[in-house]
Amino acid sequence: MRAGRLLKLLMTLQTHDKVTATELAQVCETSVRTVYRDIDALSEMGVPVYSEQGAHGGYRLLNGYRTRLNGLSAEEAETLFLAGLTGPAQKMGLQSTLADAQLKLMTALPEGMRREANRLQSRFLLDAPNWFSDDEKAEHLPQLMTAVLDQRLVGMSYQSWKGVRQREAQPLGVVLKGGQWYLVAQVGVDIRTYRVSRIEALELRETVFERPADFHLTEFWQASLRRMEALQFPVMAEVRVSATGVKIMEFLCTSYVLDHATVEPADATGWHRVTMPVGNPSHGCGELLRFGAELEVIGPPHLRRAMENLVSHLSQRYRSSGPAVGGEPLAE
């Protein structure tokens, strides 16, 4: 976005005595021609930037010009990465802090860039929750944020699928994924992920723990996602898909499935042979059934048998004179 690029240009010029157009283009990941236009835009906004010609030339700010973030507290600085995320900030109990930080940041910008920032803010909205999903309850999130930042132990009652469990944990990070909040914490020697909405009770302890020096939240989360995807889609299904089915794959399948699927050219009947990851038969059949008559399962054999069993039960149910009561399992 242009406003962000201009701010990056300004910050780069402030931290260097002189920068070439090529270097600015690399920093801003844009073309040299765009840098020329952006430098002109900064000048029009009143930023005293000028150029030096020649082999050792470049751009510099005049008379040590600086734009400063006066009075920005450490807590406010920590919330700047949430700019525009008022919903998550409110959940974490940081809404007023974020508002103060944004005000100070806005005040520190030159007038022209302030207008650009206001224009961007009025035209960008992040709505984090998934479609047709309510905003997830996360009443313990402010305490968890304190525990993460202060490196304090927590005691919690956690509702797992096995029942309520008591845990003493070292909170290492908080993640917002698809409108759902997750706590990454160390329990014993293991680092685990907990759904914040399933924490029934939380006690913030006074004990301070030592954060693992080799732990990186982003790396851990990305690795966890890869493991989760592999567990969720353990079966490679071989299917025949109609031309219509191929078109609707992008609407019915997740990005993981699309990235790992292979679609062969259409045969003489106009159908495509496709290999795609799906869940275990009990779940995989439901996923594939969404394609309706536009898909036929070829293999592996156990998946085809499960689909035949499911379709047979559905056929019997809908051929009956009235709604069925009870019945056998639909898939193996």
Side-chain angles (χ1 to χ4, degrees):
M1 296 246 181
R2 186 165 184 261
R5 194 174 65 243
L6 291 176
L7 182 58
K8 196 170 188 178
L9 266 178
L10 180 56
M11 295 297 105
T12 303
L13 288 168
Q14 284 189 181
T15 54
H16 297 78
D17 290 334
K18 184 168 54 181
V19 192
T20 67
T22 300
E23 291 170 336
L24 288 172
Q26 292 173 347
V27 169
C28 297
E29 299 179 351
T30 187
S31 66
V32 172
R33 185 180 296 274
T34 300
V35 168
Y36 294 151
R37 291 197 296 266
D38 289 346
I39 291 294
D40 290 339
L42 286 177
S43 297
E44 293 173 2
M45 293 174 181
V47 178
V49 57
Y50 72 98
S51 63
E52 293 181 355
Q53 305 299 319
H56 302 287
Y59 292 99
R60 68 168 70 237
L61 293 175
L62 188 63
N63 298 328
Y65 173 86
R66 291 291 185 272
T67 178
R68 302 183 183 277
L69 303 180
N70 296 318
L72 197 64
S73 71
E75 186 180 13
E76 290 164 351
E78 289 171 347
T79 64
L80 281 179
F81 76 101
L82 293 171
L85 307 183
T86 54
Q90 183 178 19
K91 286 281 189 181
M92 290 184 284
L94 299 173
Q95 188 175 22
S96 60
T97 304
L98 173 61
D100 291 343
Q102 288 176 321
L103 178 60
K104 290 178 181 179
L105 175 61
M106 193 68 71
T107 304
L109 293 175
E111 177 60 30
M113 293 187 70
R114 202 177 304 161
R115 289 195 300 269
E116 286 286 322
N118 278 324
R119 188 168 69 94
L120 177 63
Q121 194 171 38
S122 67
R123 301 183 187 189
F124 175 77
L125 172 67
L126 176 63
D127 187 9
N130 288 326
W131 281 100
F132 314 118
S133 299
D134 293 332
D135 195 14
E136 186 174 65
K137 295 180 180 179
E139 57 183 293
H140 300 295
L141 196 56
Q143 286 179 286
L144 287 175
M145 288 301 299
T146 299
V148 167
L149 294 174
D150 294 347
Q151 297 179 203
R152 292 166 59 181
L153 285 176
V154 297
M156 60 182 182
S157 299
Y158 186 76
Q159 178 68 58
S160 72
W161 65 276
K162 293 182 179 180
V164 178
R165 295 288 187 269
Q166 304 300 317
R167 293 284 185 268
E168 183 174 78
Q170 300 176 2
L172 302 177
V174 173
V175 177
L176 175 62
K177 171 71 171 176
Q180 298 171 350
W181 292 94
Y182 296 89
L183 168 68
V184 177
Q186 182 164 345
V187 177
V189 297
D190 298 326
I191 297 180
R192 305 175 183 177
T193 302
Y194 297 91
R195 184 87 166 264
V196 173
S197 62
R198 293 179 183 168
I199 299 177
E200 297 192 346
L202 184 77
E203 179 187 354
L204 186 59
R205 307 276 171 81
E206 294 299 326
T207 306
V208 177
F209 65 88
E210 189 68 27
R211 186 180 178 85
D214 59 348
F215 175 79
H216 301 283
L217 181 60
T218 301
E219 294 177 5
F220 171 83
W221 186 255
Q222 293 301 324
S224 296
L225 291 181
R226 290 192 292 270
R227 289 194 300 269
M228 182 64 69
E229 289 169 341
L231 289 173
Q232 189 173 356
F233 302 100
V235 179
M236 289 301 293
E238 300 174 19
V239 298
R240 290 179 69 246
V241 184
S242 69
T244 300
V246 170
K247 291 180 181 178
I248 64 177
M249 278 182 66
E250 62 177 297
F251 301 104
L252 298 181
C253 300
T254 66
S255 58
Y256 176 85
V257 172
L258 293 174
D259 290 342
H260 292 78
T262 57
V263 181
E264 298 182 7
D267 58 21
T269 65
W271 283 56
H272 301 259
R273 193 181 185 94
V274 177
T275 302
M276 57 193 296
V278 298
N280 286 316
S282 58
H283 298 97
C285 289
E287 297 165 12
L288 297 175
L289 196 62
R290 294 185 299 164
F291 284 85
E294 307 300 328
L295 178 146
E296 176 192 358
V297 176
I298 301 174
H302 71 279
L303 182 62
R304 182 176 174 94
R305 287 195 302 269
M307 181 64 85
E308 290 174 351
N309 187 35
L310 173 60
V311 173
S312 175
H313 278 80
L314 286 174
S315 176
Q316 293 174 16
R317 183 159 298 169
Y318 282 99
R319 285 178 182 174
S320 64
S321 57
V325 178
E328 301 176 4
L330 298 183
E332 296 179 347

